[in-house]
Amino acid sequence: MQLTVDLRSDTVTKPTTGMLDAMMSAKVGDDVFGEDETVTALEQKAAAMFGMEAGLFCPSGTMTNQIAIKCFTQPLDELIADQTAHVYRYEGGGIAFNSAVSTRLLNGDRGRVTAEMIEPEINAENVHFPRTSLVVLENTVNKGGGSCYTLADIKPIADLCQKHSLKLHLDGARIFNALAATGDNAIDYGKYFNGISICLSKGLGAPVGSVLLASKETIQYARRVRKVLGGGMRQAGFLAAAGIYALDHHVERLKIDHAHAQILGRALAQCSWVSHVVPPDTNIVLFDTAVPADDIIKKLDQKGVRCMSTGPNRIRFVLHLDVHPEQVEYAVVVLRNLEI
Ligand SMILES: *Cc1c(COP(=O)(O)O)cnc(C)c1O
């Protein structure tokens, strides 16, 4: 029997029955007036989890990142990030547009950078140079195939930022995958970062939403920036309820997605048409193909296995809560029997 297995992204999930029930029974109000108790509960819950003072519920991860960059820089400043960073590559040039800030790119290991890489790129005080004011890390790294930092990796970077009075922001769209893989505690993240973006609509399975976490003062300003970007939402508690449900029910299970990624990684390594599999650290499997990626994608699609290319000879599989064990088994059979 042909199944459908959608491995294009962990954003394709649909709300579960439990999540829909939570949404339907949410108590709501006008959040722009500060009167939506479910939104407030989500913001407080997420902030407490990460040891931060306050949170701001936003429609997307892009918005939380862009607001954070606006909060932590002034026009004419420069931020430092890896060349694969989502904030630079996949947010439509928003760093320049929203914040009038330039970007200094590093060449990290699957998107992971070190204090040694950052330090020489911090500009000296000189009118020729933009003022370096912010470092942005991503955990896990999307383009790195779900590679992740431990808190021990992050500490020297946080120390360096403190030494040079730089702000440190975390694009944590998949931070819960990093926590599942490393065993680090979420609450310790608050010690190192000035801002943290978490996404509820990736592996956690909510239909919409991200939360920016920071100090009370930063969030107060962030609320203004969200408004000016058109992100002030009214009875958003229906969406926040999905987020609360996701934090309560869909964090523990991320380990299953990681195990599924391992299974698919092993199956791919056996395929004659696969030239290299990037070791899957979390829920993403990146691999290189000996023939054009689009040919493989078409053939997989005919068998119900949907995926995307990230380069002419590179394909990405992303595991998530709507990929069940029997679908993983089915995908393995399809991979084994694919005629190239
Ligand atoms: C998906 C993602 C985001 C935010 O994306 P939205 O689609 O705007 O919610 C941010 N950073 C990373 C690393 C992502 O993968």
Side-chain angles (χ1 to χ4, degrees), residues 9-11 59-65 84-87 90-91 138-143 171-174 197 199 201-202 209-210 284 316:
S9 172
D10 44 6
T11 56
S60 70
T62 298
M63 193 183 279
T64 54
N65 283 332
T84 62
H86 193 281
V87 293
Y90 303 113
E91 298 187 6
E138 194 172 306
N139 201 17
T140 68
V141 185
N142 182 346
K143 190 103 168 100
D171 177 354
R174 294 190 181 81
S197 293
C199 281
S201 62
K202 290 267 165 77
S210 288
I284 300 175
R316 184 181 83 156

Side-chain angles (χ1 to χ4, degrees), residues 5 17 19 56 63 127 130 152 234 259 278 309 313 325:
V5 191
T17 314
M19 185 178 276
L56 184 71
M63 193 183 279
V127 287
R234 302 295 179 175
V278 179
S309 66
N313 286 75

Side-chain angles (χ1 to χ4, degrees), residues 229-270:
L229 294 175
M233 298 181 287
R234 302 295 179 175
Q235 285 73 28
F238 293 117
L239 298 172
I244 292 172
Y245 185 91
L247 290 175
D248 287 339
H249 297 92
H250 294 166
V251 173
E252 284 301 314
R253 61 156 308 286
L254 290 172
K255 290 197 172 86
I256 300 170
D257 299 339
H258 298 183
H260 287 166
Q262 294 290 331
I263 293 169
L264 291 179
R266 283 196 294 273
L268 286 164
Q270 306 286 313

Side-chain angles (χ1 to χ4, degrees), residues 15-69:
T16 59
T17 314
M19 185 178 276
L20 284 171
D21 288 346
M23 294 170 76
M24 292 301 285
S25 57
K27 292 204 174 71
V28 300
D30 189 327
D31 184 53
V32 178
F33 294 169
E35 290 174 3
D36 191 304
E37 61 186 276
T38 310
V39 171
T40 303
L42 169 65
E43 290 171 345
Q44 288 175 354
K45 181 184 178 74
M49 278 175 103
F50 285 87
M52 292 294 230
E53 282 178 4
L56 184 71
F57 185 49
C58 292
S60 70
T62 298
M63 193 183 279
T64 54
N65 283 332
Q66 291 298 320
I67 291 174
I69 292 165

